[in-house]
Amino acid sequence: MKKKIIGTILLFLILSTITFKMPISEAANYYPSNSEIDNAINSIKSEYPSGSKFTGSFDGGIECIGFAKYAFNRIWGVDCRDAYTSDAKYKFQLSNTSVVDEVGSLTGSSVTTDNIRYLFYNTPKGSLVQMCSNGQQHTMLFVSCDSSNIQVLEANVDFNLTVSHSTISYSSLASRCAGSGNGISTYKYNGKKNSAATVQNYGTYCYI
């Protein structure tokens, strides 16, 4: 009996030291803390200071959308493969495999300063922003907001591939996104994984 008890204890001790590593497709959804997301965003800012150039591409995207999707991947460890449509350049065309969910979308008479403020109050940091102004589409990564402004990471707003750590007022967004065919939408990470998910380690969290 004593040998059986000792054997059971030894087996427990051995198993307690083993780390089981699940495949990415089976890993539980994981949401980093605000501080961990901040660490990732600061890492992106260090790699691409305001005034630097994003001259490459990411996941088939170039210029503003390529940079925003690159930043999104740096934070969440997945690729957002959705894109705007020619009929609605302020919205992504989502599918059942999308790694983002729409937080909200404003167009036409709904584009007001107060509605935009409310939209970003409900948008998590690290989300994607898709907007259309004067028929020109633009994609950004949302960093933070206060009562008057949002902070974003963006590229090519000058049509010269320049990266900007920008502060934009709600009133400015309302003016830019007003008018027929224009608008603004935000998209948050929904916890899904895709085949692009790899080991990431920005801050204190990582995807395995």
Side-chain angles (χ1 to χ4, degrees):
M1 183 66 180
K2 185 181 291 186
K3 289 183 178 179
K4 185 175 181 180
I5 293 173
I6 293 173
T8 302
I9 293 172
L10 288 174
L11 179 61
F12 173 78
L13 290 173
I14 292 170
L15 289 175
S16 66
T17 63
I18 298 175
T19 301
F20 293 96
K21 190 171 182 179
M22 293 184 295
I24 291 169
S25 60
E26 299 175 12
N29 292 347
Y30 179 72
Y31 293 88
S33 67
N34 282 338
S35 62
E36 291 170 333
I37 295 173
D38 286 340
N39 287 341
I41 290 172
N42 288 334
S43 177
I44 298 164
K45 287 181 176 180
S46 295
E47 182 181 6
Y48 285 97
S50 197
S52 62
K53 303 285 186 180
F54 182 76
T55 57
S57 64
F58 187 81
D59 197 31
I62 60 173
E63 300 172 350
C64 64
I65 194 168
F67 177 71
K69 287 187 173 185
Y70 169 74
F72 183 86
N73 172 270
R74 286 288 305 269
I75 296 169
W76 304 107
V78 294
D79 288 358
C80 175
R81 295 168 179 161
D82 305 294
Y84 56 84
T85 66
S86 57
D87 294 332
K89 295 179 180 178
Y90 61 90
K91 286 176 65 84
F92 285 166
Q93 185 174 4
L94 302 181
S95 70
N96 58 4
T97 61
S98 298
V99 297
V100 293
D101 290 335
E102 183 180 284
V103 178
S105 183
L106 303 171
T107 189
S109 61
S110 68
V111 179
T112 66
T113 298
D114 286 341
N115 284 347
I116 291 175
R117 181 185 294 109
Y118 182 79
L119 172 63
F120 282 100
Y121 276 5
N122 288 279
T123 299
K125 67 175 67 176
S127 297
L128 290 169
V129 182
Q130 181 65 32
M131 61 178 281
C132 183
S133 175
N134 296 320
Q136 292 289 331
Q137 66 276 3
H138 187 54
T139 313
M140 306 177 287
L141 184 94
F142 175 60
V143 174
S144 64
C145 66
D146 55 29
S147 60
S148 301
N149 309 292
I150 64 169
Q151 288 75 44
V152 296
L153 301 182
E154 60 181 342
N156 202 46
V157 69
D158 62 348
F159 300 103
N160 196 32
L161 306 177
T162 304
V163 172
S164 300
H165 306 168
S166 304
T167 299
I168 309 171
S169 69
Y170 299 121
S171 57
S172 174
L173 285 172
S175 175
R176 290 164 63 182
C177 297
S180 178
N182 296 328
I184 187 167
S185 307
T186 61
Y187 298 88
K188 65 180 180 179
Y189 176 55
N190 61 21
K192 292 181 181 177
K193 298 288 189 285
N194 58 28
S195 59
T198 55
V199 174
Q200 306 286 341
N201 194 358
Y202 306 109
T204 59
Y205 65 95
C206 85
Y207 290 91
I208 57 174

